[in-house]
Amino acid sequence: MKRADHITLAHGGGGQASGELMKNVFLPAFKNPLLETLSDGALIDPPKRGKLAFSTDTFVIDPIFFPGGDIGSLSVHGTVNDLAVSGAIPKYLSAGFVIEEGFSIAELKKIVASMAEAAKNCGVSIVTGDTKVVPKGHADKLFINTTGIGFVPEGIDISAKNIIDGDIVILSGTIGDHGTAVLTRRKGLEFDTEIVSDSTPLNSLVEAMLKAEPNIRMMRDPTRGGLSASLCEIASISGKGIVIEEALIPVSVAVRSVCEILGLDPIHVANEGKLVAFVPSDSAENVLKAMKKVACGKEASIIGRVGGCPAGRVEMKTSFIGNRIIEPVIGDQLPRIC
Amino acid sequence: MKRADHITLAHGGGGQASGELMKNVFLPAFKNPLLETLSDGALIDPPKRGKLAFSTDTFVIDPIFFPGGDIGSLSVHGTVNDLAVSGAIPKYLSAGFVIEEGFSIAELKKIVASMAEAAKNCGVSIVTGDTKVVPKGHADKLFINTTGIGFVPEGIDISAKNIIDGDIVILSGTIGDHGTAVLTRRKGLEFDTEIVSDSTPLNSLVEAMLKAEPNIRMMRDPTRGGLSASLCEIASISGKGIVIEEALIPVSVAVRSVCEILGLDPIHVANEGKLVAFVPSDSAENVLKAMKKVACGKEASIIGRVGGCPAGRVEMKTSFIGNRIIEPVIGDQLPRIC
């Protein structure tokens, strides 16, 4: 191993090596006028109307390359999606890297290129960043924090508090793909499947949905903790009961098989390119139609409705055993899934 | 060790344990209406005029408690200072935690309380966050990313490109305190000194400076890489030569002694509560007077001037050997210093 091909502590020291990493790796990939000022903070023109959305996420996924993506694209999609489900048009990202000494610079370049491509596809700019290097064994390969700013157009108000009885619950596609795709690549758990992560940006989908119905009550992307965690949190914040129907939830045959073998329930498994939306009942069909026109919404389905069970509770109608109360998973089925 | 007293993988799983950590640790400390919505992104009213400043930093300091601060207060001061030297009034922070499995919840509470107190002192709110837990050995204790939004008032324009020949270089106080304070607490390097980190927020100081002279050309807080890295970067971006005088740079006796023993040069050592400013020559005395009225600016000094050496270069007049060319440090003297 040549020293120059790997990250050293000096790359995080703020001196000459840090400057070279910036010049050779980050600037060429992320190039934009704001980042190129090399100042301590990026200066941004605020929107004339509406609100700012502000969201953060750190990505610690293992392995860093997985079927359907890598930690770079995931770190862009994850924060873009958090902004999108807040009703915002994602605009600017920061990127904070923690790199383990000895990490390959070629792999770092691959990941940074993947971030840059993802950012371009989402229409966002990576305008400010930070890199820390820690000694070997003090971190596992690479962690990436992305924090984003989006602009929420005037009149858009996405909040669980808006939900009323009778609202329709729509899921944008199959669940469990990301979690099972990553799991089947974990050391010691390798599985021969064709499952691919659903990691993808949702901002175009959200835009189409809000065009069809500006009064969408609430949206969330069910990542860690899966669909169950998102629905339970929404039920708790809104103080409403939510009833969903198991038969209506899209799960691919491959994901279902892997989950059965490993004793997982797909509703607890992480997704990285799905959203669940609560929409007024009289516009549900319109929203669904708009979603199906966007690639990542083709398999969108109505999966349930608000009301019909006690306040704050999520119930699932099953094919065999009647209604089952859904609770967020207690432990952590899959550490380092995102 | 009782399991309930320590962070488990479940605390990062997005399910019930994650919710409890939020409810018991983060919400009570950071409480504010934006965070309490528990949504994926915080919604913020943009400023009517001026610009947004946006800055990020990840803190990986070792040890996490050190004389004069801890990773919590440092993570707030660090990003607040990056915003302040951009000319912004710091407003909102995000907080992203990566925690090693087994970390003490009591220590986490202490760090979170320290962040909350620091945020209060700086007048900023921690409005959105994220927590990831990685298996034991995949990270060292705790890393914190903070990303901040500040509002830059109309008419303020801090940029190295504004610097002209004859501008005066002012340093806000002694250098080297943070780096040496942390170093003397490192395992295997323990030193018996009274050196305390200078970790402190600079936003009130910057406010007083901009009131005295709204046309300050450029400011930077010399953290990693020390004063030398900041000056060299500013010389390179501005294309100006900078001459400073060694005898005018304040260094405490204790810091000087430790640096001599360890073979360090204080101008390369990290600071966490200092800034270097480039001001028009005719207002330098006014700015200096305003700085000295603020606690963290009491020892502010004029240390040099723009011009008098080749473009893009930093030179230091020394007492004995004439002028010395200053270059950013090549290696990393002190890994995990911030």
Side-chain angles (χ1 to χ4, degrees):
Chain A
M1 132 173 166
K2 274 191 292 178
R3 194 162 169 270
D5 297 340
H6 292 79
I7 292 290
T8 64
L9 289 172
H11 285 116
Q16 290 185 19
S18 296
E20 278 159 28
L21 196 66
M22 188 68 191
K23 210 175 65 190
N24 299 330
V25 177
F26 295 117
L27 275 184
F30 296 153
K31 59 179 166 229
N32 62 69
L34 289 173
L35 188 63
E36 279 152 19
T37 64
L38 293 176
S39 55
D40 271 343
L43 294 182
I44 294 169
D45 285 316
K48 296 262 175 288
R49 291 147 198 268
K51 296 228 175 204
L52 297 172
F54 184 40
S55 188
T56 191
D57 222 332
T58 310
F59 297 84
V60 298
I61 192 164
D62 171 36
I64 54 178
F65 297 95
F66 52 85
D70 58 63
I71 191 170
S73 52
L74 183 69
S75 72
V76 172
H77 297 158
T79 293
V80 160
N81 290 348
D82 282 345
L83 293 171
V85 297
S86 304
I89 299 162
K91 291 280 187 183
Y92 302 100
L93 292 187
S94 65
F97 295 83
V98 174
I99 312 178
E100 184 185 16
E101 180 189 14
F103 189 72
S104 144
I105 291 181
E107 288 204 345
L108 180 63
K109 281 186 176 168
K110 215 166 137 186
I111 287 162
V112 164
S114 164
M115 288 181 81
E117 200 200 329
K120 203 176 152 198
N121 290 339
C122 302
V124 299
S125 303
I126 296 170
V127 293
T128 192
D130 175 60
T131 304
K132 295 283 151 54
V133 179
V134 297
K136 204 156 179 63
H138 289 210
D140 186 26
K141 295 183 200 80
L142 177 71
F143 303 147
I144 304 177
N145 175 283
T146 56
T147 303
I149 292 179
F151 294 173
V152 184
E154 229 173 357
I156 300 297
D157 174 23
I158 306 296
S159 162
K161 299 224 192 308
N162 296 335
I163 293 173
I164 62 170
D165 282 334
D167 281 350
I168 299 296
V169 185
I170 304 182
L171 180 65
S172 67
T174 58
I175 58 168
D177 301 82
H178 177 74
T180 48
V182 174
L183 190 67
T184 56
R185 290 306 179 277
R186 279 280 168 79
K187 266 186 190 147
L189 270 174
E190 283 97 339
F191 243 81
D192 193 19
T193 82
E194 293 302 312
I195 302 174
V196 167
S197 165
D198 58 349
S199 176
T200 206
L202 295 167
N203 50 333
S204 305
L205 180 66
V206 168
E207 216 174 296
M209 292 167 71
L210 285 171
K211 210 169 151 194
E213 171 55 278
N215 291 316
I216 288 178
R217 321 281 195 197
M218 175 64 187
M219 289 182 281
R220 183 151 286 191
D221 56 329
T223 55
R224 268 185 301 177
L227 182 63
S228 62
S230 292
L231 291 178
C232 289
E233 210 171 312
I234 292 170
S236 156
I237 299 170
S238 64
K240 298 289 176 190
I242 302 170
V243 179
I244 56 173
E245 212 163 312
E246 189 171 27
L248 300 178
I249 299 173
V251 183
S252 80
V253 174
V255 168
R256 198 179 294 283
S257 313
V258 168
C259 283
E260 265 170 25
I261 292 167
L262 297 173
L264 298 173
D265 187 329
I267 65 166
H268 297 320
V269 178
N271 313 280
E272 290 291 347
K274 296 294 153 35
L275 62 79
V276 59
F278 289 71
V279 300
S281 57
D282 54 7
S283 57
E285 284 302 333
N286 261 347
V287 172
L288 195 66
K289 222 169 82 183
M291 293 174 78
K292 284 177 178 289
K293 284 185 190 152
V294 181
C296 64
K298 274 203 187 347
E299 292 177 90
S301 313
I302 291 174
I303 62 161
R305 168 185 292 270
V306 177
C309 77
R313 183 188 281 182
V314 180
E315 285 189 8
M316 183 160 74
K317 288 189 196 169
T318 64
S319 319
F320 303 109
I321 53 163
N323 280 19
R324 169 185 152 199
I325 297 172
I326 300 298
E327 297 196 309
V329 67
I330 293 177
D332 185 25
Q333 296 183 324
L334 308 169
R336 298 188 62 188
I337 206 69
C338 60
Chain B
M1 132 173 168
K2 273 190 293 177
R3 191 162 172 273
D5 297 340
H6 293 77
I7 292 290
T8 64
L9 290 172
H11 285 115
Q16 290 186 22
S18 295
E20 278 159 28
L21 197 67
M22 189 66 193
K23 210 174 67 190
N24 299 330
V25 177
F26 296 115
L27 275 184
F30 296 152
K31 59 181 164 225
N32 63 67
L34 288 175
L35 188 62
E36 279 153 18
T37 63
L38 295 175
S39 54
D40 272 341
L43 294 183
I44 293 168
D45 285 316
K48 295 262 176 289
R49 288 149 200 270
K51 294 226 176 204
L52 297 173
F54 183 41
S55 189
T56 191
D57 223 332
T58 309
F59 297 84
V60 299
I61 192 165
D62 170 37
I64 53 177
F65 297 95
F66 52 85
D70 58 63
I71 192 171
S73 52
L74 182 70
S75 72
V76 172
H77 297 157
T79 293
V80 160
N81 291 349
D82 282 343
L83 294 171
V85 297
S86 306
I89 299 162
K91 292 281 187 182
Y92 301 101
L93 292 186
S94 66
F97 296 84
V98 174
I99 312 177
E100 184 185 15
E101 180 188 17
F103 190 71
S104 144
I105 290 180
E107 288 204 345
L108 179 63
K109 281 186 175 167
K110 219 167 133 184
I111 287 160
V112 165
S114 165
M115 289 181 80
E117 201 199 328
K120 203 177 151 196
N121 290 339
C122 302
V124 298
S125 303
I126 296 169
V127 294
T128 192
D130 175 59
T131 304
K132 295 280 151 57
V133 178
V134 297
K136 204 158 180 59
H138 290 211
D140 187 27
K141 295 183 199 79
L142 178 70
F143 304 146
I144 304 178
N145 174 282
T146 56
T147 304
I149 293 178
F151 294 173
V152 184
E154 229 173 359
I156 301 297
D157 174 24
I158 307 296
S159 162
K161 300 224 191 297
N162 297 334
I163 293 173
I164 60 169
D165 281 335
D167 282 350
I168 299 296
V169 185
I170 304 181
L171 180 65
S172 68
T174 58
I175 57 167
D177 301 82
H178 177 75
T180 48
V182 173
L183 189 67
T184 58
R185 291 305 181 279
R186 279 281 167 79
K187 266 189 192 144
L189 271 174
E190 283 96 340
F191 243 81
D192 194 18
T193 83
E194 294 301 313
I195 302 174
V196 166
S197 164
D198 59 349
S199 174
T200 205
L202 295 167
N203 49 332
S204 304
L205 179 66
V206 169
E207 217 173 298
M209 293 167 69
L210 286 171
K211 211 170 151 192
E213 173 54 278
N215 291 317
I216 289 178
R217 320 278 195 200
M218 175 63 187
M219 290 183 281
R220 183 151 288 189
D221 56 330
T223 56
R224 267 185 303 175
L227 183 62
S228 61
S230 291
L231 291 179
C232 289
E233 207 170 314
I234 291 169
S236 155
I237 299 171
S238 65
K240 298 288 175 189
I242 302 170
V243 179
I244 57 172
E245 213 164 309
E246 188 171 28
L248 301 177
I249 299 173
V251 184
S252 80
V253 175
V255 167
R256 200 178 292 282
S257 315
V258 168
C259 282
E260 267 169 24
I261 293 168
L262 297 174
L264 298 173
D265 188 329
I267 66 165
H268 296 319
V269 178
N271 313 280
E272 289 290 348
K274 295 294 153 34
L275 63 81
V276 60
F278 289 72
V279 300
S281 57
D282 55 5
S283 58
E285 285 302 333
N286 261 349
V287 172
L288 194 66
K289 223 168 83 182
M291 291 175 79
K292 285 177 177 290
K293 285 185 189 152
V294 182
C296 65
K298 272 200 189 349
E299 294 177 87
S301 314
I302 290 174
I303 61 161
R305 170 184 290 271
V306 177
C309 78
R313 184 189 281 183
V314 181
E315 286 189 7
M316 183 160 75
K317 289 189 196 166
T318 65
S319 320
F320 304 108
I321 51 160
N323 281 17
R324 168 184 154 202
I325 297 172
I326 300 299
E327 296 198 307
V329 66
I330 293 177
D332 186 25
Q333 297 182 323
L334 309 167
R336 296 187 65 188
I337 206 68
C338 60

